[in-house]
């Protein structure tokens, strides 16, 4: 017995309407994210001032409060974009010490996604132009972010030394060793910048390699629209440089990169 099912088909006119509706939804997401970000930055001015006062009396409480406030804001942004996260290996992050997070980089949303998951205080290494953005840079400084000028070796060294001090004082650091967003992640990772792991070398803290797949689908692939998508974030096993053999320790950047590549390769079967 043969059973025929009615399959809905779009004619050209219906398909155009369907596509237009999708673009309207995508534009609404962009508007919601933009409005929320602007409103949050403005309304957070008195909050930031209050946090500075609290910090004089109880620095740790103020730091944790600021961390949770920004994490909440980032989670709201991800909600507005419709992003669905698949998180793997988050339990591999040591909770009793500072670490150096080392993710691949393909989207501005890599920061939003990973920061919203940080279990403890974490500063991000950012390009120096971010320091010129009002309000946003104030929050970044308040949360131990570092601004790196790669054109100035002396300033760059000072930034790395500050990061080393932060880690020694229990504040984790996140650095994107590719140095910039990768416009073609399907072609592989960009070369890691020399000195990206220097903070781990000097402090002995564990390196947490992070593989991110799909974050570019939120915005970069179809600017200015923001689309619903699924993003995979995988945390690798901690890498302790002092436990590596001499050869791997000498090429620790390449070794860390290979671990990220392995995770990214495994993600392909998850999104196929």
């Amino acid at each position: 017995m043969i059973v025929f099912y009615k399959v809905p088909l779009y004619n050209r006119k219906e398909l155009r309407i369907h596509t237009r509706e999708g673009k309207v939804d995508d534009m609404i997401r962009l508007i919601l994210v933009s409005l929320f970000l602007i409103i949050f930055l403005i309304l957070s001015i008195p909050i930031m001032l209050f946090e500075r006062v609290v910090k004089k009396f109880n620095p740790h409480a103020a730091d944790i409060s600021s961390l949770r406030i920004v994490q909440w804001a980032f989670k709201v942004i991800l909600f507005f974009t419709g992003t669905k996260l698949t998180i793997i290996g988050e339990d591999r992050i040591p909770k009793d010490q500072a670490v150096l997070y080392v993710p691949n980089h393909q989207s501005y949303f890599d920061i939003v996604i990973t920061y919203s998951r940080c279990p403890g205080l974490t500063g991000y290494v950012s390009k120096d132009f971010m320091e010129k953005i009002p309000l946003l840079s104030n929050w970044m400084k308040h949360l131990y972010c570092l601004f790196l000028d790669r054109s100035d070796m002396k300033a760059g060294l000072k930034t790395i030394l500050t990061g080393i001090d932060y880690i020694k004082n229990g504040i984790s650091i996140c650095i994107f060793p590719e140095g910039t967003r990768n416009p073609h992640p399907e072609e592989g990772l960009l070369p890691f910048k020399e000195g990206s792991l220097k903070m781990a070398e000097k402090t002995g803290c564990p390196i947490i390699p992070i593989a991110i797949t799909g974050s570019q689908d939120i915005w970069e692939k179809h600017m200015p629209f923001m689309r619903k998508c699924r993003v995979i974030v995988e945390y690798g096993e901690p890498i302790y440089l002092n436990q590596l053999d001499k050869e791997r320790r000498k090429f620790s950047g390449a070794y860390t990169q290979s671990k990220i590549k392995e995770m990214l390769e495994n993600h392909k079967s998850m999104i196929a």
Side-chain angles (χ1 to χ4, degrees):
M1 179 179 178
I2 300 175
V3 180
F4 293 92
Y5 295 92
K6 291 183 178 180
V7 180
L9 296 174
Y10 288 115
N11 58 37
R12 289 184 179 180
K13 183 178 179 181
E14 289 172 332
L15 187 58
R16 283 198 297 271
I17 293 172
H18 180 72
T19 303
R20 283 200 299 270
E21 288 176 347
K23 286 188 176 180
V24 169
D25 289 343
D26 297 341
M27 184 55 72
I28 289 173
R29 292 189 188 95
L30 174 64
I31 293 170
L32 285 173
V33 169
S34 301
L35 285 176
F36 175 78
L37 186 57
I38 293 169
I39 292 170
F40 172 79
L41 288 174
I42 293 173
L43 294 182
S44 67
I45 294 174
I47 296 174
M48 196 186 314
L49 294 174
F50 176 75
E51 294 283 8
R52 288 181 179 175
V53 174
V54 174
K55 197 165 187 173
K56 293 180 179 180
F57 302 96
N58 193 332
H60 182 70
D63 286 341
I64 295 299
S65 174
S66 298
L67 169 69
R68 301 309 178 206
I69 289 170
V70 175
Q71 286 183 322
W72 169 82
F74 282 174
K75 288 175 182 177
V76 172
I77 288 173
L78 292 173
F79 172 77
F80 283 149
T81 62
T83 303
K84 302 298 182 184
L85 298 178
T86 297
I87 307 296
I88 304 169
E90 200 169 34
D91 57 332
R92 295 168 181 161
I93 305 173
K95 303 298 190 294
D96 57 348
Q97 64 180 127
V99 304
L100 180 68
Y101 295 105
V102 179
N104 62 306
H105 196 19
Q106 55 182 255
S107 170
Y108 288 115
F109 279 89
D110 296 334
I111 300 164
V112 176
I113 292 168
T114 54
Y115 193 82
S116 69
R117 312 292 308 187
C118 290
L121 289 174
T122 304
Y124 275 58
V125 178
S126 171
K127 290 183 178 179
D128 60 325
F129 79 89
M130 295 291 290
E131 193 172 9
K132 300 174 184 177
I133 302 176
L135 298 180
L136 180 61
S137 62
N138 294 102
W139 269 110
M140 292 176 72
K141 292 174 184 176
H142 191 61
L143 290 165
Y144 301 99
C145 291
L146 302 170
F147 302 94
L148 181 62
D149 182 359
R150 295 189 184 277
S151 64
D152 187 334
M153 289 187 63
K154 187 176 180 180
L157 178 59
K158 185 178 179 180
T159 300
I160 296 299
L161 292 175
T162 301
I164 290 171
D165 286 338
Y166 282 171
I167 292 174
K168 288 180 177 179
N169 285 287
I171 301 165
S172 296
I173 294 293
C174 180
I175 187 168
F176 296 96
E178 291 172 283
T180 188
R181 287 174 294 118
N182 184 352
H184 304 291
E186 68 280 357
E187 297 178 6
L189 297 174
L190 298 175
F192 278 20
K193 298 293 184 183
E194 292 295 328
S196 296
L197 306 183
K198 187 65 68 177
M199 285 181 272
E201 293 175 12
K202 296 299 183 180
T203 62
C205 77
I207 296 169
I208 306 297
I210 305 176
I212 305 170
T213 297
S215 58
Q216 200 179 41
D217 294 329
I218 301 174
W219 191 40
E220 279 79 1
K221 276 190 176 180
H222 32 70
M223 287 182 179
F225 304 109
M226 287 186 178
R227 293 184 180 169
K228 293 172 65 175
C229 70
R230 178 189 178 202
V231 178
I232 303 173
V233 181
E234 183 171 1
Y235 298 84
E237 293 289 348
I239 299 172
Y240 295 87
L241 296 182
N242 58 6
Q243 295 179 9
L244 299 180
D245 58 50
K246 186 177 180 180
E247 189 67 16
R248 284 178 174 172
R249 191 161 57 247
K250 182 178 179 181
F251 299 101
S252 56
Y255 178 73
T256 303
Q257 189 179 51
S258 70
K259 293 299 180 182
I260 296 174
K261 284 181 178 178
E262 287 176 12
M263 292 186 283
L264 291 173
E265 192 63 31
N266 290 335
H267 292 179
K268 292 179 180 179
S269 61
M270 300 173 65
I271 59 177

